[in-house]
């Protein structure tokens, strides 16, 4: 009761400030009728009304000429007028006050808006329109009923909805079929949707669940109204009033389950093209994002489906709106150790809304939900330490497999299913957010999965590859420490020999035999040991593995494995890429071990010089190769097949090809293969050429290498099966993770390099060093990287992310420069001349091989 009384008094103060009491000689300084009263804008009047209420200022009694005309409106719409921030204006007609309030309008249609707009334009007074907008756009019920479609969708639209909306029950689908045969008259729909009274709208149409809002009509209305500043302010203030009520409805009243049309509200608001403007970014848009994030999972999925059909331009506009809010909040606040960006409700709410757009982007693009790789025939063996984990209360995390986003499951689509999104995925990354994100804290929230702490790793699309790689690094390291701790406890309980590392002792000239035999034994006996930290030792060498020895180990193994003389992979001179040899004489176990090596490289944060086509990484993510994947793996065959598809003549008569194709074996002998049973008897025609092309691509990319790739994938998953790798990264990012960046920007490396031992950026030798290095050719630069860091590839994010240190190693001498590849440290003597520096450096990087103690 007290709250209602206070609300009523504030409304009276607002009315007094905007319209006055009607007495032209009023002496109340807080009344608009007072002769000396200075009028303010409506937002200031709303604030002033609160101040007057707190101060207990006097209220005027309405003048007799005003009594009959204001009391009813105060009861019905004063609060909406305060929300829209505009005052009432009276019009004189024949000496009497006449008011066009449209009090019976509880929802809007396009025609009704234009009707009110025309009336206001004729009188040059837009206050009636402003009041209606304030009333409708600040009311969830009003918006839900507004701008309904007045004609049913086409048959094509219905079929599209039936294919995408998995939430509809059978009864709804039967009604849709019936409506296709006998559609309702549009006039009756117009009557229901366009009526002025009651606040109702079309309820019960089978298509209302998805397309009951006429988005085009909403856009046209916004285009007409937003050019008027006073009207625009009404939208802004109404949204401020609307959002908390919507949040409350969704959080406590489960309103969506009772009325699926509630989604209309979000569609209408998001069509406002001014949402990205500064006026909205402070309060209105953050509150609305917070409210939208409270939608249940089914509603989020339907919203994603709806927006996926609105085209790239509409999606990009909404994307830029949320991105601008995130950037604005990140830049305008100082986030640090105690003030985490994860705790900012505006940033978190906008990020959750971006997830809806992200899946809409996937759904609206070129999606291939079929062509999935079959799962492994045998599950990855569990560790023999499982019982000990249970005894210690440390059951394996993600035992049921890697995490899957609930919205992804609800929609039945993955990012890897999308060959080309509506908007490039890169536009979803917010760089200012990545710069302030405390990844160690965010990773903790990701693993703990508490409701009161948000992790941006649950929305990996907003993170760049560098940030996601850091999250993966934390996950791998924590898993290594866990395995090490369990091993120590295991040795104490069972008295076994302590072996907390994955130790590989290899001979440099027998590296494949030694490494793969050892890894094969570990994979058979206890696969969990593969998740321990790798420790490599070269027999007869004194190097201690702090990371650098492992880097060289991986490089040497890759060089040997991909040697075409071994025959496990074929090499294409045109594309410079390797592919699985379908005629290889090696057994499946060898490919499994190669998969293990690839997984170990990711797990131990090492970059490999591997040259696979992108289809390999797509297959690792569970997608089969298709015609489009031939574009980079076999461009000659791709061109031939695409020309076949586009051939305008008679394929059967002009080309005379059948469903039998020819391949060559390891020794160059031709092998014939039927793509269909009795393929040599089935000609390729204009009608079946699509099938022929699909079968051909499937044969080349999937069936011929099925055994080799399944073994390879099995080995890869032995190491990465519990990793969030698939959850965080797309196929092209997996390639970047394994192979590093191909772009070597040594200027960026110069900017980030640090100095020690007496050197600094302005030292003579340092300036000469960089001049010398920049003058090297590409091959020499790669040799320098190999010498200093253990790999000739740049890390994820480029050379600017590489932390190299150049330290002084004594005065001028005949000794060569040396390096600690584990820590990316170059030990550089202070040579007397630039010529000597160049000669010594070139000799060091050209003949460097092996490790020794200085």
């Amino acid at each position: 009761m007290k709250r209602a009384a206070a609300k009523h008094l504030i409304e009276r103060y607002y009315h007094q400030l905007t319209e006055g009491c009607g007495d032209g000689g009023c002496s109340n300084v807080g009344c608009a009728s007072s002769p000396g009263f200075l009028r303010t804008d409506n937002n200031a009047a709303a604030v002033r009304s609160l101040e007057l209420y707190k101060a207990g200022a006097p209220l005027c009694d309405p003048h007799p000429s005003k009594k009959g005309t204001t009391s009813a409106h105060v009861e019905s719409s004063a609060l909406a007028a305060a929300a829209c921030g505009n005052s009432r204006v009276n019009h004189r007609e024949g000496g009497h006050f006449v008011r066009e309030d449209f009090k019976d309008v509880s929802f809007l249609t396009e025609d009704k808006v234009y009707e009110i707009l025309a009336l206001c334009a004729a009188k040059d007074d837009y206050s009636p329109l402003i009041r209606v907008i304030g009333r409708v756009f600040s009311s969830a019920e009003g918006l839900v009923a507004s701008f309904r479609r007045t004609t049913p969708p086409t048959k094509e639209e219905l079929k599209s909805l039936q294919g995408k909306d998995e939430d509809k029950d059978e009864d709804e689908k039967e009604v849709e079929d019936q409506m296709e045969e006998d559609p309702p008259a549009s006039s009756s729909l117009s009557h229901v949707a366009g009526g002025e009274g009651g606040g109702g709208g079309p309820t019960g149409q089978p298509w209302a669940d998805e397309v009951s809002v006429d988005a085009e009509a909403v856009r046209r209305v916004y285009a007409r109204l937003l050019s008027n500043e006073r009207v625009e302010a009404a939208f802004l203030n109404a949204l401020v009033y609307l959002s908390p009520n919507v949040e409350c409805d969704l959080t406590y009243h489960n309103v969506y389950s009772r009325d699926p049309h509630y989604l209309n509200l979000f569609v209408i608001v998001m069509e406002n093209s001014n949402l990205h403007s500064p006026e909205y970014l402070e309060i209105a848009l953050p509150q609305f994002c917070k409210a939208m994030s409270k939608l249940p999972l089914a509603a989020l999925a339907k919203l994603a489906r709806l927006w996926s059909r609105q085209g790239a331009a509409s999606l990009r506009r909404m994307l830029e709106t949320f991105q601008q809010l995130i950037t604005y909040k990140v830049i305008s606040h100082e986030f640090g150790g105690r003030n985490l960006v994860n705790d900012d409700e505006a940033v978190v709410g906008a990020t959750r809304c971006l997830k809806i757009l992200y899946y809409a982007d996937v759904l609206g693009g070129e999606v291939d939900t079929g062509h999935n790789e079959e799962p492994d025939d045998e599950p990855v063996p569990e560790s023999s330490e499982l019982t000990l984990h249970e005894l210690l209360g440390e059951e394996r995390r993600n035992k049921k497999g890697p995490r899957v986003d609930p919205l992804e499951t609800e929609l039945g689509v993955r990012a890897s299913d999308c060959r080309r999104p509506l908007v490039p995925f890169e536009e979803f990354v917010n760089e200012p957010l990545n710069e302030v994100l405390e990844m160690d804290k965010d990773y903790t929230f990701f693993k703990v999965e508490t409701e009161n702490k948000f992790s941006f790793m649950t929305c990996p699309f907003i993170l760049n590859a560098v940030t996601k790689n850091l999250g993966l690094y934390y996950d791998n390291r924590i898993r290594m420490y866990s395995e090490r701790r369990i091993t120590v406890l295991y040795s104490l309980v069972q008295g076994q020999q302590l072996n907390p590392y994955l130790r590989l002792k290899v001979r440099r000239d027998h590296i494949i035999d030694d490494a793969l035999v050892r890894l094969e034994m570990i994979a058979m006996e206890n696969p969990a040991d593969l998740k321990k930290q790798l420790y490599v030792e070269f027999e007869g060498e004194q190097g201690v593995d702090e990371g650098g020895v492992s880097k060289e180990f991986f490089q040497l193994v890759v060089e040997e494995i991909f040697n075409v003389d071994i025959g496990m992979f074929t090499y294409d001179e045109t594309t410079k890429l390797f592919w699985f040899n379908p005629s290889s004489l090696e057994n499946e176990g060898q490919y499994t071990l190669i998969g293990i090596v690839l997984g170990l490289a990711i797990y131990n944060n090492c970059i490999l010089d591997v040259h696979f086509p992108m289809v390999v990484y797509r297959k690792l993510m569970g997608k089969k190769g298709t015609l489009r994947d031939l574009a980079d793996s076999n461009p000659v065959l791709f061109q031939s097949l695409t020309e076949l598809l586009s051939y305008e003549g008679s394929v059967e008569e002009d080309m005379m090809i059948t469903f039998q194709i020819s391949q060559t074996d390891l020794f160059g002998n031709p092998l014939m293969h039927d793509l269909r049973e009795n393929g040599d008897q089935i000609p390729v025609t204009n009608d079946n050429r699509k099938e022929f092309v699909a079968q051909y691509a499937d044969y080349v990319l999937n069936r011929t290498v099925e055994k080799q790739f399944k073994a390879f994938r099995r080995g890869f998953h032995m190491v990465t099966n519990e990793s969030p790798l698939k959850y965080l990264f797309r196929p092209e990012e997996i390639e970047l993770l394994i192979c590093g960046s191909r772009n070597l920007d040594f200027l960026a490396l110069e900017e980030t390099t640090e100095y020690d031992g007496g050197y600094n950026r302005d030292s003579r030798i340092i300036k000469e060093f960089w001049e010398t290095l920049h003058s090297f050719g590409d091959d020499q630069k790669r040799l320098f990287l190999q010498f200093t860091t253990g790999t000739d590839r740049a890390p994820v994010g480029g050379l600017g992310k590489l932390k190299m240190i150049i330290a002084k190693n004594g005065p001028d001498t005949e000794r060569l420069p040396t390096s600690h590849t584990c820590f990316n440290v170059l030990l550089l003597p202070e040579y007397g001349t630039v010529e000597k520096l160049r000669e010594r450096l070139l000799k060091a990087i050209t003949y460097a091989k092996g490790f020794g103690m200085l």
Side-chain angles (χ1 to χ4, degrees):
M1 295 297 292
K2 289 182 179 180
R3 180 177 296 179
K7 174 184 172 183
H8 179 69
L9 286 174
I10 293 171
E11 290 172 351
R12 289 189 60 189
Y13 280 119
Y14 179 82
H15 181 74
Q16 180 175 287
L17 288 168
T18 55
E19 293 193 17
C21 64
D23 182 3
C26 181
S27 60
N28 187 350
V29 295
C31 177
S33 297
S34 174
F37 183 79
L38 296 176
R39 290 187 176 272
T40 61
D41 62 58
N42 302 290
N43 291 331
V47 175
R48 179 64 176 157
S49 64
L50 290 173
E51 295 174 350
L52 292 176
Y53 167 73
K54 293 178 181 178
L59 276 167
C60 299
D61 291 326
H63 194 266
S65 65
K66 301 272 292 181
K67 286 185 178 179
T69 61
T70 60
S71 59
H73 185 72
V74 169
E75 287 295 317
S76 64
S77 65
L79 184 58
C84 70
N86 287 278
S87 61
R88 185 189 316 278
V89 178
N90 297 322
H91 309 283
R92 289 184 179 273
E93 288 189 12
H96 299 283
F97 284 98
V98 177
R99 181 176 296 108
E100 294 287 355
D101 285 328
F102 299 96
K103 289 184 290 186
D104 56 345
V105 178
S106 55
F107 65 93
L108 289 171
T109 65
E110 185 178 14
D111 292 339
K112 177 58 67 176
V113 171
Y114 294 159
E115 176 190 335
I116 301 173
L117 184 61
L119 183 66
C120 293
K123 297 182 179 181
D124 195 25
D125 175 19
Y126 291 90
S127 57
L129 175 61
I130 290 169
R131 282 194 294 274
V132 171
I133 290 174
R135 182 164 60 250
V136 174
F137 276 76
S138 63
S139 164
E141 294 79 5
L143 270 186
V144 168
S146 296
F147 304 107
R148 295 291 183 91
R149 289 184 63 156
T150 56
T151 56
T154 63
K155 291 183 179 182
E156 289 74 13
E157 289 176 321
L158 284 172
K159 290 178 181 178
S160 174
L161 295 180
Q162 289 173 350
K164 292 186 177 181
D165 188 357
E166 300 174 359
D167 296 320
K168 292 185 177 178
D169 56 31
E170 295 300 323
D171 294 335
E172 287 178 306
K173 293 183 179 179
E174 290 176 6
V175 175
E176 286 180 351
D177 294 337
Q178 189 175 14
M179 192 186 72
E180 287 186 26
E181 298 174 1
D182 186 18
S186 60
S187 60
S188 64
L189 287 173
S190 298
H191 175 73
V192 177
E196 290 182 13
T203 58
Q205 285 84 357
W207 41 268
D209 222 21
E210 289 281 354
V211 292
S212 59
V213 175
D214 188 346
E216 290 297 330
V218 176
R219 292 184 192 120
R220 290 192 295 267
V221 167
Y222 275 126
R224 289 281 297 273
L225 298 183
L226 290 177
S227 58
N228 187 311
E229 291 184 2
R230 294 182 65 195
V231 176
E232 181 185 7
F235 285 119
L236 170 64
N237 294 315
L239 185 59
V240 172
Y241 184 79
L242 171 73
S243 298
N245 295 332
V246 173
E247 182 185 354
C248 180
D249 286 344
L250 291 171
T251 304
Y252 301 109
H253 304 303
N254 197 20
V255 65
Y256 175 76
S257 63
R258 299 196 304 271
D259 183 12
H261 296 284
Y262 204 79
L263 279 185
N264 295 7
L265 180 157
F266 298 96
V267 176
I268 293 171
V269 172
M270 286 307 301
E271 288 297 334
N272 186 339
S273 59
N274 283 5
L275 286 178
H276 66 280
S277 62
E279 294 81 7
Y280 285 88
L281 297 181
E282 191 62 44
I283 298 176
L285 187 56
Q287 288 184 349
F288 184 72
C289 289
K290 185 180 178 184
M292 192 190 299
S293 67
K294 301 295 182 181
L295 282 168
L297 185 61
L300 296 175
K302 288 185 178 180
L303 206 52
R305 293 190 192 102
L306 176 62
W307 283 339
S308 71
R309 297 191 290 273
Q310 292 190 358
S314 178
L315 197 68
R316 180 176 276 110
R317 176 184 56 78
M318 292 187 283
L319 168 63
E320 291 172 352
T321 296
F322 292 132
Q323 289 284 36
Q324 190 148 341
L325 173 58
I326 294 171
T327 302
Y328 169 74
K329 290 296 182 181
V330 168
I331 292 176
S332 60
H333 293 76
E334 291 187 6
F335 294 107
R338 293 189 176 181
N339 182 27
L340 297 176
V341 69
N342 306 68
D343 297 326
D344 190 289
E345 290 186 344
V347 176
V348 170
T351 302
R352 285 176 167 152
C353 293
L354 269 182
K355 180 183 284 190
I356 308 173
L357 294 181
Y358 177 73
Y359 282 103
D361 191 41
V362 171
L363 287 169
E366 297 179 13
V367 180
D368 175 17
T369 53
H371 300 101
N372 295 318
E373 287 280 357
E374 296 293 329
D376 293 327
D377 296 332
E378 301 177 16
V380 176
E382 287 287 343
S383 168
S384 61
E385 299 172 4
L386 185 60
T387 303
L388 183 60
H389 276 275
E390 293 174 342
L391 289 173
L392 296 170
E394 295 196 8
E395 294 190 33
R396 285 192 180 278
R397 297 177 296 273
N398 300 326
K399 185 178 177 182
K400 296 181 181 180
R403 182 188 304 221
V404 178
D405 192 286
L407 188 54
E408 174 183 301
T409 305
E410 182 75 13
L411 291 168
V413 67
R414 300 174 296 172
S416 57
D417 293 333
C418 185
R419 301 304 300 252
R420 188 173 68 180
L422 279 177
V423 177
F425 288 134
E426 291 76 16
E427 294 190 27
F428 283 84
V429 177
N430 188 287
E431 292 296 345
L433 173 66
N434 280 264
E435 292 174 5
V436 301
L437 184 60
E438 300 280 345
M439 202 57 198
D440 53 343
K441 306 285 196 317
D442 192 84
Y443 173 78
T444 303
F445 302 150
F446 177 73
K447 298 304 291 185
V448 173
E449 297 185 64
T450 58
E451 293 184 0
N452 59 342
K453 285 294 185 181
F454 176 79
S455 169
F456 288 94
M457 286 180 70
T458 59
C459 299
F461 52 84
I462 203 171
L463 305 177
N464 58 34
V466 176
T467 304
K468 287 190 281 190
N469 188 37
L470 186 57
L472 184 66
Y473 173 81
Y474 286 134
D475 186 82
N476 293 340
R477 288 293 163 177
I478 289 174
R479 204 176 302 278
M480 288 177 186
Y481 297 150
S482 176
E483 292 293 342
R484 189 183 307 170
R485 185 157 56 99
I486 291 298
T487 301
V488 172
L489 293 173
Y490 208 88
S491 65
L492 293 175
V493 172
Q494 297 194 355
Q496 294 182 353
Q497 181 180 359
L498 180 63
N499 188 17
Y501 298 97
L502 172 59
R503 290 185 176 272
L504 295 179
K505 187 173 183 179
V506 296
R507 295 167 292 175
R508 189 175 287 272
D509 51 350
H510 294 81
I511 191 167
I512 295 296
D513 295 337
D514 294 349
L516 297 191
V517 168
R518 175 64 178 147
L519 288 175
E520 185 176 18
M521 292 176 58
I522 294 171
M524 292 174 58
E525 295 175 0
N526 192 6
D529 282 354
L530 295 173
K531 297 182 175 66
K532 295 177 180 178
Q533 184 175 349
L534 180 64
Y535 189 94
V536 178
E537 179 182 351
F538 283 103
E539 190 173 287
E541 299 182 19
Q542 297 173 309
V544 178
D545 190 5
E546 293 289 344
V549 180
S550 295
K551 291 178 187 177
E552 178 155 354
F553 163 76
F554 280 117
Q555 182 177 5
L556 294 175
V557 167
V558 167
E559 287 178 0
E560 288 289 333
I561 288 175
F562 288 93
N563 188 334
V564 291
D565 294 336
I566 295 180
M568 296 184 69
F569 295 91
T570 59
Y571 183 69
D572 190 322
E573 291 288 349
T574 304
T575 62
K576 310 296 184 185
L577 298 173
F578 288 93
W579 183 246
F580 298 88
N581 188 351
S583 305
S584 174
L585 302 177
E586 300 290 341
N587 58 38
E588 295 178 25
Q590 297 296 310
Y591 286 97
T592 300
L593 296 175
I594 295 172
I596 291 176
V597 168
L598 208 67
L600 285 175
I602 293 179
Y603 194 60
N604 289 272
N605 203 33
C606 291
I607 296 172
L608 300 182
D609 186 17
V610 174
H611 301 273
F612 278 136
M614 182 58 65
V615 64
V616 170
Y617 304 104
R618 284 182 54 78
K619 287 167 72 70
L620 283 175
M621 300 289 275
K623 301 299 295 183
K624 285 186 176 181
T626 61
L627 173 64
R628 292 185 60 168
D629 295 303
L630 286 173
D632 64 333
S633 61
N634 195 334
V636 175
L637 178 59
F638 174 77
Q639 183 177 356
S640 299
L641 293 178
T642 50
E643 288 176 355
L644 172 63
L645 290 175
S646 60
Y647 186 69
E648 296 180 355
S650 173
V651 173
E652 182 178 3
E653 295 178 2
D654 297 344
M655 298 189 178
M656 294 184 294
I657 54 179
T658 66
F659 273 78
Q660 186 179 71
I661 60 175
S662 174
Q663 296 282 299
T664 56
D665 64 10
L666 187 61
F667 304 102
N669 300 319
L671 296 175
M672 308 306 293
H673 177 78
D674 289 344
L675 297 178
R676 287 172 55 179
E677 188 175 356
N678 299 321
D680 59 331
Q681 305 298 320
I682 305 174
V684 178
T685 66
N686 292 54
D687 295 331
N688 64 16
R689 58 182 171 182
K690 286 186 178 180
E691 180 190 355
F692 172 78
V693 168
Q695 293 274 6
Y696 202 143
D698 180 58
Y699 177 76
V700 171
L701 295 175
N702 303 311
R703 283 186 280 168
T704 57
V705 296
E706 183 176 7
K707 290 183 179 180
Q708 293 88 339
F709 181 78
K710 276 192 173 182
F712 172 78
R713 184 182 62 188
R714 177 174 169 78
F716 183 78
H717 286 167
M718 280 186 179
V719 185
T720 64
N721 63 318
E722 294 180 351
S723 167
L725 187 71
K726 280 189 178 182
Y727 183 85
L728 294 176
F729 296 91
R730 301 189 305 274
E732 58 271 21
E733 293 175 322
I734 297 286
E735 181 187 30
L736 182 64
L737 199 66
I738 294 174
C739 304
S741 174
R742 300 176 186 271
N743 182 28
L744 299 182
D745 185 358
F746 278 83
L747 290 175
L749 178 63
E750 182 179 359
E751 288 296 320
T752 58
T753 297
E754 299 176 359
Y755 305 95
D756 195 12
Y759 286 156
N760 58 54
R761 188 178 298 273
D762 297 322
S763 300
R764 174 193 59 84
I765 185 69
I766 295 301
K767 292 180 178 179
E768 292 176 349
F769 167 80
W770 286 114
E771 290 175 3
T772 301
L773 187 59
H774 291 316
S775 69
F776 284 174
D778 289 342
D779 291 340
Q780 292 173 325
K781 287 179 178 178
R782 290 188 180 278
L783 286 174
F784 171 78
L785 275 183
Q786 177 69 46
F787 174 76
T788 311
T789 68
T791 177
D792 63 354
R793 294 294 189 98
V796 177
L799 288 180
K801 300 298 179 181
L802 183 67
K803 301 300 181 184
M804 189 176 78
I805 299 174
I806 300 179
K808 187 174 182 178
N809 192 25
D812 189 10
T813 179
E814 295 301 317
R815 297 175 60 188
L816 297 174
T818 54
S819 65
H820 296 306
T821 56
C822 303
F823 307 106
N824 303 330
V825 176
L826 174 66
L827 301 176
L828 184 67
E830 192 172 8
Y831 296 114
T833 64
V834 67
E835 291 79 12
K836 187 174 184 179
L837 167 66
R838 182 183 182 88
E839 183 266 332
R840 297 279 89 185
L841 184 59
L842 277 175
K843 184 171 289 187
I845 65 177
T846 303
Y847 299 102
K849 180 175 276 191
F851 296 88
M853 301 297 290
L854 298 176

